[in-house]
Amino acid sequence: QVQLVESGGGLVQPGGSLRLSCVASGSIWIIDAMGWYRQAPGNQRELVASIGSGGSTNYADSVKGRFTISRDNAKNTVYLQMNSLRPEDTAVYYCKAQILLYGSTKWSDYWGQGTQVTVSS
């Protein structure tokens, strides 16, 4: 059983910063791509940022220059540093990881439960 646990969300004023963390645990052999997604009420879940196993990154246009995704492969952890936060960044943020389990030849996507980020004055 794979578990992804996010942390670091909370309430912050516009212009403030937060750092989200996501730790994957379980019978993990390899983690390929990892990413952060967000979903606001009434909206679809959207990609915020992703990072490949080799360190390549992609960002949504709305967060470029403000957010930075990084990972620590030894800790099975992905981070999202969020600066210059805006009210429109308010959403539940979810971590996703592409994982190959021990004894398996099939890759699967795993999701965390999400962490709330609220940007409000």
Side-chain angles (χ1 to χ4, degrees):
Q1 189 88 0
V2 171
Q3 185 176 17
L4 273 63
V5 179
E6 302 101 333
S7 62
L11 175 64
V12 65
Q13 293 185 355
S17 297
L18 287 172
R19 190 182 76 149
L20 306 183
S21 300
C22 172
V23 181
S25 61
S27 300
I28 298 170
W29 175 228
I30 306 171
I31 301 177
D32 194 2
M34 305 183 81
W36 288 96
Y37 295 71
R38 67 187 181 188
Q39 187 167 21
N43 291 346
Q44 296 186 69
R45 189 172 298 186
E46 64 175 348
L47 175 68
V48 177
S50 64
I51 183 166
S53 60
S56 62
T57 58
N58 287 290
Y59 296 92
D61 288 341
S62 59
V63 308
K64 286 181 179 177
R66 300 187 298 121
F67 292 9
T68 302
I69 189 170
S70 61
R71 65 191 290 170
D72 186 335
N73 291 331
K75 297 180 179 179
N76 289 342
T77 300
V78 62
Y79 305 93
L80 186 68
Q81 178 66 47
M82 304 185 294
N83 299 325
S84 302
L85 283 162
R86 305 166 180 168
E88 52 263 42
D89 295 318
T90 297
V92 178
Y93 284 70
Y94 298 91
C95 174
K96 188 182 83 170
Q98 294 178 319
I99 294 174
L100 183 66
L101 301 180
Y102 284 116
S104 178
T105 58
K106 187 175 183 178
W107 292 86
S108 297
D109 290 342
Y110 294 88
W111 291 87
Q113 288 290 103
T115 185
Q116 178 71 48
V117 172
T118 302
V119 185
S120 176
S121 59

